Amino acid sequence: MRKLLFILALTAIILISGCSTPAEVAEEGDNVTVDYVGEFENGTVFDTSIEEVALEEGIHNPARPYEPLGFTLGGEGMIKGFDSAVQGMAVGEEKTVQLSPELAYGPYKEELIRAVPLDDLPNKTTPYQIGDRLSTAYGQQVVIVDVNDTAAMIDFNHPMAGETLKFNITLVSIEE
């Protein structure tokens, strides 16, 4: 009995004295994986890493692997607000953030709608129509918003430019 009391007392002293290991939190430069659900302001889910959510929301893509998203904090390719939200999170922690357009895909810019001569567009067997999507030489997806006999008005804005987005994020792992 004395031995048990001694062990319990020693354990309590160690925990109280601050010798316990603090939870590791994600920092810039860490490679992290997260599960997420992305929604528009009206609550419509537009993307998720969780297959069950995709099925429930009617956005499931059978060709897509549903798995945690991996990226390097502070690196390229992740929207600023999402990256910032993950910094400081511990593994298993959940967070919901709302991102203004400036922290997501940027504001919608009218000046990014440009006239492109039809002769400069890829050859097509049918006439171009409003709503047609094209890929630029850099892989950017753009959409035709107006067309006449000589030119197409093409919107070069990101499809979610100007949108306020909400993300439910769970940090799955951290690797330094």
Side-chain angles (χ1 to χ4, degrees), residues 117-162:
L118 293 178
D119 291 342
D120 291 350
L121 296 177
N123 290 333
K124 187 176 167 191
T125 57
T126 59
Y128 287 102
Q129 297 180 6
I130 294 172
D132 282 352
R133 297 189 179 280
L134 306 171
S135 291
T136 67
Y138 302 104
Q140 178 187 8
Q141 296 294 305
V142 297
V143 65
I144 295 177
V145 293
D146 197 9
V147 64
N148 60 35
D149 293 338
T150 61
M153 296 298 292
I154 298 182
D155 187 349
F156 287 86
N157 282 287
H158 186 281
M160 287 191 267

Side-chain angles (χ1 to χ4, degrees), residues 157-176:
N157 282 287
H158 186 281
M160 287 191 267
E163 297 282 351
T164 297
L165 305 176
K166 181 174 116 178
F167 289 96
N168 299 307
I169 305 167
T170 302
L171 183 58
V172 175
S173 71
I174 303 171
E175 293 180 25
E176 294 181 17

Side-chain angles (χ1 to χ4, degrees), residues 63-74:
R64 173 189 171 175
Y66 286 90
E67 57 192 26
L69 171 67
F71 63 99
T72 302
L73 283 174

Side-chain angles (χ1 to χ4, degrees), residues 35-39 50 82 95-97 166-170:
D35 271 324
Y36 68 93
V37 177
E39 300 176 8
I50 305 165
F82 193 97
K95 180 187 278 187
T96 299
V97 294
K166 181 174 116 178
F167 289 96
N168 299 307
I169 305 167
T170 302

Side-chain angles (χ1 to χ4, degrees), residues 109-123:
K109 298 177 183 176
E110 291 292 331
E111 62 269 21
L112 291 181
I113 299 175
R114 298 188 181 124
V116 176
L118 293 178
D119 291 342
D120 291 350
L121 296 177
N123 290 333

Side-chain angles (χ1 to χ4, degrees), residues 24-114:
E24 180 183 14
V25 297
E27 299 174 347
E28 189 168 331
D30 287 344
N31 293 315
V32 298
T33 58
V34 299
D35 271 324
Y36 68 93
V37 177
E39 300 176 8
F40 292 113
E41 276 187 291
N42 66 7
T44 301
V45 174
F46 63 84
D47 193 17
T48 182
S49 62
I50 305 165
E51 188 165 24
E52 297 78 28
V53 173
L55 287 165
E56 287 172 11
E57 297 295 329
I59 61 168
H60 186 264
N61 177 351
R64 173 189 171 175
Y66 286 90
E67 57 192 26
L69 171 67
F71 63 99
T72 302
L73 283 174
E76 299 290 320
M78 186 56 56
I79 60 174
K80 183 178 179 180
F82 193 97
D83 187 279
S84 295
V86 175
Q87 290 190 36
M89 289 180 71
V91 171
E93 183 178 348
E94 296 179 27
K95 180 187 278 187
T96 299
V97 294
Q98 185 163 316
L99 305 180
S100 66
E102 292 74 22
L103 294 175
Y105 292 98
Y108 188 86
K109 298 177 183 176
E110 291 292 331
E111 62 269 21
L112 291 181
I113 299 175
R114 298 188 181 124

